[in-house]
């Protein structure tokens, strides 16, 4: 009759069961530690996302306020120009157009000829 070699004796069966339970408990502890580390990392990431969202919301609020101020300023300028055009005579409007046209031409000349003549010291002529 052949005997099985992988069988444990009856008195070691309790010890083998305890060893297996102990090994499973250690595996559970390792998995719990791993899970705790992942939860901590996820918590840190969620806090960073929350901080970034709050920062972006402040930026959006600031941008909205800036655009609202610009819109109000543009509306006031439009009303003032409408009032000026309604009350001004034609000679005044001609002078205003003359000054604006020659002002733009003057700025173009300055940008084209004066500022382009300035060279950086490291550039070759």
């Amino acid at each position: 009759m052949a005997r099985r070699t992988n069988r444990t004796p009856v008195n070691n069966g309790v010890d083998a069961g305890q060893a297996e339970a102990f090994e499973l408990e250690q595996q559970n502890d390792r998995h719990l530690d791993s899970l705790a580390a992942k939860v901590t990392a996820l918590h840190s990431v969620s806090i960073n996302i929350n901080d970034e969202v709050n920062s972006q919301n402040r930026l959006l609020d600031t941008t909205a306020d800036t655009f609202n101020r610009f819109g109000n300023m543009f509306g006031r300028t439009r009303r003032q120009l409408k009032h000026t055009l309604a009350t001004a005579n034609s000679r005044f409007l001609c002078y205003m157009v003359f000054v604006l046209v020659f002002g733009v031409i003057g700025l173009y000349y300055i940008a084209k000829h004066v500022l382009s003549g300035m060279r950086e010291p490291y550039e070759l002529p």
Side-chain angles (χ1 to χ4, degrees):
M1 213 176 190
R3 289 181 87 188
R4 286 193 198 172
T5 57
N6 63 354
R7 292 185 76 194
T8 57
V10 176
N11 62 355
N12 288 339
V14 175
D15 293 337
Q18 287 177 346
E20 184 179 349
F22 183 73
E23 179 63 31
L24 289 174
E25 189 69 30
Q26 285 181 336
Q27 285 179 354
N28 282 341
D29 289 342
R30 284 193 300 269
H31 289 302
L32 283 175
D33 290 341
S34 174
L35 184 61
K38 290 175 184 178
V39 167
T40 302
L42 184 60
H43 182 259
S44 175
V45 167
S46 65
I47 287 174
N48 290 340
I49 289 172
N50 184 43
D51 292 343
E52 184 65 27
V53 166
N54 289 335
S55 173
Q56 293 294 324
N57 283 338
R58 283 192 301 272
L59 178 66
L60 287 173
D61 290 341
T62 303
T63 303
D65 291 341
T66 302
F67 278 112
N68 285 335
R69 285 194 310 265
F70 175 75
N72 293 336
M73 190 172 25
F74 184 73
R76 281 193 311 267
T77 303
R78 187 179 50 85
R79 284 191 301 276
Q80 289 172 350
L81 182 61
K82 186 187 275 187
H83 181 274
T84 301
L85 291 175
T87 61
N89 59 19
S90 61
R91 178 181 273 169
F92 175 73
L93 290 176
C94 286
Y95 287 139
M96 189 181 339
V97 169
F98 178 76
V99 167
L100 287 174
V101 168
F102 282 105
V104 170
I105 292 172
L107 288 174
Y108 175 76
Y109 177 78
I110 289 171
K112 184 73 173 173
H113 296 290
V114 175
L115 294 178
S116 67
M118 296 180 173
R119 294 188 182 199
E120 296 293 324
Y122 56 83
E123 288 185 23
L124 295 174

